[in-house]
Amino acid sequence: MTEDDFWELIETARKECDGDIAEMRDWLISELAMKTIAEIREYYLIFEQLRYKAYNRELWSACVFINCGCNELGFFDWLNCIIAHGKKVFYEAIENPDSLANIFTQENRYN
């Protein structure tokens, strides 16, 4: 699995689940269950590499500001949500964390 394959799977999940994060998680689990162990491992490694790429002070500050605080576990959950929003949102967030203000509002923190 390449990073492009990973993002394609995320986009398919977003469309299938109308962007509902919890439904996306369940959908992805079902899809990955049909893959080989090697493909599941590749998915996981790409996912972890993306979270590592996004684990920085600027995004953590954005998370604290938008969510009125967070601990490390909350930050990881938030990074998962950023990934779930797709490739464009993810890479824009890395370049400009303020771009997330339009996506994560007080009323809609994780969707």
Side-chain angles (χ1 to χ4, degrees):
M1 177 177 289
T2 66
E3 186 176 325
D4 287 337
D5 296 332
F6 173 92
W7 287 118
E8 187 176 312
L9 195 57
I10 296 295
E11 287 305 318
T12 302
R14 283 191 63 73
K15 289 176 187 167
E16 290 289 323
C17 302
D18 293 324
D20 182 290
I21 303 292
E23 285 185 37
M24 286 177 66
R25 180 196 61 230
D26 294 342
W27 187 91
L28 285 164
I29 289 169
S30 295
E31 286 296 306
L32 289 169
M34 295 184 281
K35 306 269 185 208
T36 67
I37 296 295
E39 290 171 313
I40 295 168
R41 186 178 310 123
E42 290 166 354
Y43 176 91
Y44 174 77
L45 289 174
I46 292 166
F47 181 77
E48 287 299 318
Q49 288 168 352
L50 292 170
R51 285 201 325 177
Y52 180 79
K53 192 179 289 190
Y55 193 102
N56 63 56
R57 180 179 301 145
E58 292 80 15
L59 279 175
W60 195 316
S61 295
C63 180
V64 168
F65 181 75
I66 291 170
N67 294 308
C68 301
C70 79
N71 58 22
E72 188 170 22
L73 184 56
F75 183 59
F76 278 126
D77 288 344
W78 200 63
L79 292 178
N80 297 347
C81 288
I82 293 170
I83 291 169
H85 275 81
K87 183 178 183 177
K88 183 176 186 267
V89 168
F90 177 80
Y91 281 106
E92 283 179 5
I94 289 175
E95 291 297 316
N96 177 21
D98 291 343
S99 67
L100 296 171
N102 296 325
I103 294 167
F104 297 102
T105 64
Q106 289 301 315
E107 298 80 29
N108 187 16
R109 292 185 191 170
Y110 290 109
N111 292 323

